Amino acid sequence: MGTELLAPLDLAFWHLESDAHPMHLGALAVFAPASGVTPLHVLELLRTRAAAIPRLRMCVRDVLLPVGGAAWTVDKDFDVHRHVHRVAVADGDFMAGATRLAGELMEQPLGRGLPPWQMYLIGGADDGPFAVLVKLHHALADGMRAVAIGAGIFDEIAATAARPGARGRPAVPPRSWLPDPREVAGMALGRIGEVGRALGVGASVVRAGRLDLRGDTAFTAPSSGTRRLATADLDATALQRIRRAEGGTANDILLAVVAGALRRWMEQRGEALTGTDPRALVPVSRRRPGGAVSGNRLSAYLLDLPVGTADPRERLRTVRGAMDRNKAAGPLKGAGAVAVLADQLHPLAHRFGAPLAANAARMLFDLLVTSVPLPRSALSLGGCPLSALYPMAPLARGQSLAIALSTYGGRVHVGLVADGKALPDLDRLAEAVQAEFDAIGALFTAGRVAAPVS
C-alpha cells in the first residue's frame, strides 16, 4: 500500500479537530456470549483481525507538495496493542455501564502520530454479554466507509477475506499525488463543473446562515469537551408498517420521530416550543455503487424539524415534504452541500481556516441526524452473535447533540451523543425517542388517527 494524499474533505476533518472537539465517529457493538468463548480469546481475535485490515495501518503525515497537504502512509512501527484494549464495567446493569464507559472513552481524542483509530473490548462478567467500542477519525472514514472497514472484525467477513483466492482489491488502492497525464484533460473539465457547483453552494450557504445563534438553547450550549451516550431500540417491522401506511421513506419517519422526541423532551425541560424549529443536518453519501472507497464523499440536506407542530401525523407530513424538496434539488445543491466547498479549497485553506469554519457550523444547523446502513446478514465475533450496533456521530464545535441510527436484526438502533454538561439528561431524550415511536406506531396499529401527542 503506497502513499495517498488526503482528499480535501478528509483534510478538512483532520484540521477541524481540537482536544475539546475530537472529530472521530464510533459504534458500540453489543454481543451475546457463546459457550467456551473467553474475553481473552475475543481480545486476541480483535487484535488479529484489526491488524489484517490494511486501512488501519495508515497514519497521517505532512507532505511538501502540495503546500499544506497531508498524506496517508503506512505506519512502519505499527503495533496493534496500541489500538485494541480491554476495559471492564462495574457489576450491575451491563448495558448502562457500557454506555457510560463508552461516553467517557469517546471524550478522548485519538493520537495524531498513530493510525487514528481505537477499539475497546468492554466486558462485565466473563460469561455475560460484552461490547466492542470502535473509534475511527472522520478523516479516515465516513459512516458507510466505517462500516466497510469495521466489518473486517466479524467472523463472516474475516472468513471470506482469508479464503484462498478471495483476496480482492486492497482496501485503499495506492495513489500517487501526481496525476497521470492522460487524466489531466478530464480532471480539468470536471473541475470547471465542480467550481460552478461550489459557487452555487456558497451562495446558498450565505442565504441560509443565521445571525441569531440562539446560544441559550440546549443544542448550542458552550462545548465542555465531555461526552454522554444514550441508546434506544425501535421495532423495524413497526417502522415498515408506518411507511406502508403513510408513504415516504423509513428515514422520513425516523426524522419525524426525532422531531417529536425533541418536542416531548423540551416540554419536560420547560423550554418554549414556539419560534424557529431546530435545524438538522442530514448527511448524504455521494459514493457511486462500485466506486473507489478512498476519501470522504459527503453532502447533506438541511431540515427544519417541526418541533412546534403538535400533531405527530402532521409532523411526519411536514418532514416528508421538506425531504422531497431536498431530494428534488439534489445533494449537490443548497447550503447543506457545504462539504462540496471543501473540494475546491487549497490545503493551506484547510490548515489555517479550520477554526473559522468550525465556529461557523452552528450558523447553519443545530444538531446532526444521520442514518448508517449495515449489512443485512447476521454477524458474529468469535461465535458470539451481534445483538445490537449503536452508531455514534461526532459533535461539531458549539453544538451539543448528534443522533445516529442503524438497522440490524429487526431493530433500529439509535445512538445519541451529547455534550455531557450541556445535556446531562440525555437518557430522558432517549426515552422520548422510544415513546414518540410507540405513539406514532399506535396511530397505524389502531387504524385511525389518534389525538395529537404533545
Side-chain angles (χ1 to χ4, degrees):
M1 179 173 290
T3 298
E4 173 202 3
L5 279 181
L6 267 72
L9 188 53
D10 298 350
L11 193 63
F13 286 135
W14 188 250
H15 290 305
L16 282 170
E17 183 171 69
S18 67
D19 287 344
H21 305 92
M23 286 302 298
H24 52 254
L25 43 82
L28 184 66
V30 182
F31 297 87
S35 177
V37 179
T38 67
L40 286 178
H41 171 74
V42 174
L43 183 65
E44 288 308 309
L45 198 59
L46 273 177
R47 287 173 173 164
T48 299
R49 290 179 178 173
I53 299 173
R55 192 68 183 175
L56 297 185
R57 290 176 169 266
M58 305 292 282
C59 58
V60 177
R61 297 283 187 264
D62 291 341
V63 295
L64 294 176
L65 293 174
V67 177
W72 293 108
T73 60
V74 175
D75 182 2
K76 296 179 180 179
D77 299 318
F78 177 78
D79 182 356
V80 73
H81 293 82
R82 295 176 175 176
H83 298 270
V84 182
H85 315 278
R86 182 186 178 189
V87 291
V89 297
D91 293 339
D93 186 334
F94 170 74
M95 197 61 208
T99 53
R100 177 193 56 77
L101 184 55
E104 295 173 359
L105 293 170
M106 287 294 288
E107 292 179 10
Q108 304 170 11
L110 294 164
R112 293 176 75 83
L114 299 172
W117 65 275
Q118 295 283 335
M119 290 185 190
Y120 299 89
L121 174 61
I122 302 175
D126 285 352
D127 58 349
F130 65 90
V132 174
L133 173 66
V134 180
K135 293 169 54 176
L136 298 172
H137 198 285
H138 211 333
L140 182 67
D142 55 26
M144 291 183 67
R145 193 175 177 204
V147 171
I149 293 173
I153 70 170
F154 293 111
D155 297 339
E156 294 75 13
I157 287 82
T160 300
R163 191 177 302 153
R167 294 175 60 187
R169 298 190 307 175
V172 180
R175 189 179 80 188
S176 170
W177 54 272
L178 290 175
D180 188 316
R182 294 171 298 180
E183 299 176 357
V184 171
M187 290 172 61
L189 291 173
R191 193 73 169 177
I192 292 172
E194 290 175 358
V195 170
R197 285 195 297 269
L199 290 174
V201 172
S204 299
V205 170
V206 173
R207 290 194 298 268
R210 301 171 301 183
L211 296 179
D212 175 14
L213 298 182
R214 290 179 287 155
D216 58 343
T217 70
F219 307 116
T220 55
S223 299
S224 68
T226 59
R227 293 291 181 269
R228 288 182 64 87
L229 171 66
T231 63
D233 294 272
L234 313 178
D235 185 347
T237 301
L239 175 64
Q240 293 304 320
R241 183 170 61 246
I242 298 169
R243 185 190 62 78
R244 288 192 296 270
E246 187 64 20
T249 68
N251 198 49
D252 294 342
I253 297 165
L254 292 172
L255 287 167
V257 168
V258 169
L262 290 173
R263 178 182 175 87
R264 290 170 179 267
W265 176 70
M266 291 170 68
E267 282 186 325
Q268 292 176 352
R269 284 176 141 235
E271 294 189 18
L273 299 176
T274 57
T276 305
D277 289 328
R279 181 180 289 175
L281 184 78
V282 184
V284 180
S285 175
R286 293 194 289 142
R287 295 191 184 281
R288 296 178 180 178
V293 297
S294 60
N296 277 279
R297 299 290 293 171
L298 290 173
S299 183
Y301 297 135
L302 291 178
L303 174 68
D304 290 331
L305 296 171
V307 168
T309 302
D311 186 344
R313 197 161 191 170
E314 184 61 30
R315 284 197 295 269
L316 199 162
R317 290 172 176 171
T318 299
V319 167
R320 178 184 173 186
M323 289 301 290
D324 283 347
R325 291 189 292 273
N326 276 329
K327 294 168 189 174
L332 295 180
K333 295 183 179 180
V338 65
V340 175
L341 295 176
D343 292 336
Q344 316 308 320
L345 298 179
H346 191 276
L348 281 175
H350 291 301
R351 187 177 293 269
F352 295 111
L356 178 62
N359 289 322
R362 61 183 296 197
M363 296 178 63
L364 289 177
F365 62 96
D366 299 303
L367 70 156
L368 181 145
V369 184
T370 184
S371 293
V372 180
L374 294 180
R376 294 185 179 181
S377 58
L379 299 171
S380 61
L381 175 60
C384 301
L386 176 69
S387 55
L389 192 148
Y390 302 97
M392 291 173 279
L395 294 180
R397 188 187 300 267
Q399 295 172 332
S400 304
L401 177 64
I403 301 175
L405 311 99
S406 64
T407 301
Y408 174 80
R411 308 290 292 175
V412 179
H413 304 294
V414 186
L416 301 93
V417 176
D419 184 283
K421 291 187 177 180
L423 275 69
D425 57 343
L426 187 65
D427 288 341
R428 293 172 65 182
L429 177 56
E431 292 169 358
V433 169
Q434 183 69 63
E436 179 66 16
F437 182 80
D438 292 344
I440 291 178
L443 295 178
F444 301 97
T445 300
R448 59 183 176 82
V449 179
V453 178
S454 62

